[in-house]
Amino acid sequence: MPLPLACTVPRAAINLDATLLSGQSFCWEQDAAGTWHGWIGDFPCRVESTAQGYAVHTRASVPAIESYFGLPFDLGHALGTFPKDPWLAEAAAFAPGLRLLLQEPWETLASFICSAVKRIPQIAQINRALRAEFGPEVSPGLHAFPSPARLAEAGETALRRCGLGFRARNLHVTACQIAAGEVVLAALHDLPTAEARGELMRLRGVGPKIADCVLLFAYGRHDAFPIDVWVERVLRQLYFKRRRVPAARMRRFVETYFGPHPGYAQQYLFHWVRTARPPAAMEKRAPAAKRRKKAA
DNA sequence: ACCCAGGACTGAT
DNA sequence: ATCAGTCATGGG
């Protein structure tokens, strides 16, 4: 069943490549022709780049499409609220039109539990394995993301076979917690960010960083600021002159310095340091001398 | 073989 | 509160 053309998004509205390559979502892949294949919730989606713009083929509704790609948000305004510093300006100029997506909470939560100490292509690989193994087949060969109940039922051992490693236990326990109603993801929309963050961190395998990713990428909380190894490095080297900074102070800095949309600034910085040719100031510090493992 | 990856948890100071 | 050790797996 071919996917119907739902709408055409003007190219000026979004930089689709940067958006889908910036590590927010792990359910999209680009074929050799440049066409994107992925999901908007449980609806398969294909996006072709045409002369008119991005042709979005899917059964999802147009409002759902616009919501998913974050189009209603006034990106130009947010960029204007960024502090005027040369690095953030370079990061923003590097990927004009990069947007934050607004994804489904459970899929986002589960995907980021799988993200711990993994590279982005491997997270996407785990995502595909979970879908193929446990997800409902919504059209021939296409599996939506499996529900919490399904992953809870599957068991830790079965999850481990999807290449999850030690994350299998975390994902399984969290799936059980969600299935049991211990944390209600739909209820987090009504909570202030700090409280929603606390709720997410009650889940196994969810600490500050993953909680912030879920808040930013699935709940539209632009006050969430995920600090991973890359962002921590860029903050320390650009804003703290490469000095070692206590985590609490770093947290206080990002909450005050970047203005009303710190999460957006974070996403531009993250994509920039990972994709652009890093300036000399961004080179990795010499690794601290690691003690030898015990010789056999 | 060695190293690292969009971290979190645990048990020690 | 901070801090090393540990947790599996895949790819360079």
Side-chain angles (χ1 to χ4, degrees):
Chain A
M1 310 193 293
L3 295 173
L5 174 62
C7 60
T8 299
V9 176
R11 214 174 298 283
I14 184 173
N15 182 340
L16 194 66
D17 287 0
T19 298
L20 295 179
L21 288 170
S22 65
Q24 311 178 53
S25 177
F26 307 101
C27 67
W28 291 88
E29 45 188 337
Q30 197 171 26
D31 64 25
T35 297
W36 285 100
H37 303 262
W39 296 82
I40 294 177
D42 289 346
F43 294 97
C45 183
R46 180 178 85 250
V47 184
E48 297 170 359
S49 196
T50 71
Q52 287 73 30
Y54 300 110
V56 182
H57 299 260
T58 180
R59 292 181 204 291
S61 70
V62 171
I65 295 167
E66 294 175 340
S67 170
Y68 180 85
F69 287 109
L71 303 183
F73 181 70
D74 189 343
L75 177 57
H77 171 262
L79 292 172
T81 67
F82 283 2
K84 310 305 175 204
D85 78 64
W87 294 297
L88 192 52
E90 184 168 345
F94 174 71
L98 168 59
R99 282 183 179 275
L100 287 172
L101 300 171
L102 197 57
Q103 305 175 70
E104 199 281 319
W106 163 245
E107 178 186 334
T108 307
L109 168 62
S111 297
F112 274 95
I113 286 176
C114 301
S115 79
V117 207
K118 276 288 183 192
R119 298 177 201 227
I120 290 173
Q122 297 174 7
I123 304 167
Q125 186 174 332
I126 290 171
N127 197 291
R128 286 192 296 273
L130 289 173
R131 288 172 180 276
E133 200 64 32
F134 306 112
E137 188 171 20
V138 297
S139 81
L142 295 178
H143 296 256
F145 198 83
S147 67
R150 183 68 188 90
L151 294 187
E153 171 202 352
E156 179 183 331
T157 306
L159 295 184
R160 197 172 289 266
R161 284 185 221 115
C162 293
L164 281 161
F166 65 84
R167 304 154 198 82
R169 180 180 175 220
N170 295 340
L171 182 58
H172 181 244
V173 171
T174 284
C176 291
Q177 288 179 278
I178 297 294
E182 194 172 318
V183 172
V184 180
L185 293 180
L188 302 188
H189 291 287
D190 302 321
L191 296 180
T193 300
E195 294 179 24
R197 192 172 191 252
E199 282 299 295
L200 288 169
M201 288 177 62
R202 293 172 52 201
L203 299 165
R204 176 81 199 190
V206 181
K209 188 268 175 182
I210 291 178
D212 282 339
C213 285
V214 175
L215 289 169
L216 185 60
F217 303 141
Y219 288 92
R221 302 302 175 92
H222 294 177
D223 49 341
F225 195 106
I227 301 179
D228 73 314
V229 292
W230 291 91
V231 172
E232 194 272 345
R233 189 183 303 150
V234 72
L235 291 175
R236 191 183 70 236
Q237 299 194 359
L238 298 185
Y239 298 103
F240 292 91
K241 302 173 184 171
R242 317 181 68 155
R243 299 180 59 82
R244 220 185 149 287
V245 186
R249 182 176 170 185
M250 184 81 79
R251 175 59 58 186
R252 203 155 38 73
F253 171 77
V254 301
E255 285 170 357
T256 57
Y257 176 73
F258 289 104
H261 304 281
Y264 244 106
Q266 177 276 156
Q267 195 62 16
Y268 276 93
L269 287 172
F270 176 78
H271 186 246
W272 175 58
V273 298
R274 294 192 76 262
T275 312
R277 184 161 179 69
M282 276 304 303
E283 283 162 15
K284 288 189 186 183
R285 240 181 5 177
K290 291 203 166 188
R291 64 275 163 275
R292 296 267 52 197
K293 290 198 169 181
K294 67 174 164 115

